[in-house]
Amino acid sequence: MAAVSDGNPFDDILMHYTNPVTGGHVMKTMGASMQLLRPGFRGKAHRHTGSYIYHVAKGAGYSIVNGKRLDWQKNDIFCVPSWAFHEHVNGSSTDDACLFCFSDLPTIEALGLYREEALAENDGHQPS
């Protein structure tokens, strides 16, 4: 996908895992995704309903979650709580970083509670 897409300013390349039988989320109450942060990627901050647990599958970088910087490297795990502004940064200018994620997105969507908002100030970046 990275070869044919410019990605997006918040998540770079984001792919959701799907249930091959239903075509929906992997489970009725749990979603899974893999996020590719290409070398030098610095995402813009946004927030959304739902909680997200990230596992760093590859690379190193940091995330800013509600104004607090969280440095991460391969095999680290961190959480972004619901409605928390967050942005991810690949710390390398030469290597990819990959974040695997579990979320409660299917539940939030089923309840009709999903909302998303980009940070408008400071060119979309939080002070840390």
Side-chain angles (χ1 to χ4, degrees):
M1 185 170 168
V4 296
S5 173
D6 292 334
N8 74 61
F10 305 103
D11 298 311
D12 202 12
I13 303 296
L14 179 64
M15 295 180 52
H16 292 277
Y17 288 87
T18 58
N19 180 318
V21 175
T22 67
H25 291 285
V26 293
M27 299 174 72
K28 288 185 179 188
T29 59
M30 189 175 295
S33 61
M34 181 65 82
Q35 186 170 350
L36 171 67
L37 306 178
R38 291 177 279 195
F41 177 78
R42 180 177 182 216
K44 292 190 174 196
H46 67 292
R47 62 184 177 179
H48 38 73
T49 49
S51 298
Y52 293 74
I53 306 294
Y54 289 93
H55 174 263
V56 182
K58 179 181 179 182
Y62 64 91
S63 296
I64 301 174
V65 180
N66 274 346
K68 294 187 179 187
R69 180 178 164 142
L70 303 170
D71 291 297
W72 44 258
Q73 61 186 359
K74 186 177 179 185
N75 295 326
D76 283 345
I77 297 172
F78 64 97
C79 177
V80 173
S82 185
W83 209 240
F85 275 112
H86 60 283
E87 58 195 91
H88 304 300
V89 179
N90 181 348
S92 174
S93 61
T94 57
D95 297 317
D96 291 335
C98 294
L99 303 176
F100 179 77
C101 179
F102 279 113
S103 72
D104 58 0
L105 185 59
T107 302
I108 299 298
E109 288 177 343
L111 293 170
L113 299 174
Y114 186 78
R115 304 290 182 272
E116 188 170 336
E117 178 182 49
L119 182 67
E121 299 85 33
N122 199 31
D123 195 32
H125 297 287
Q126 302 172 78
S128 60

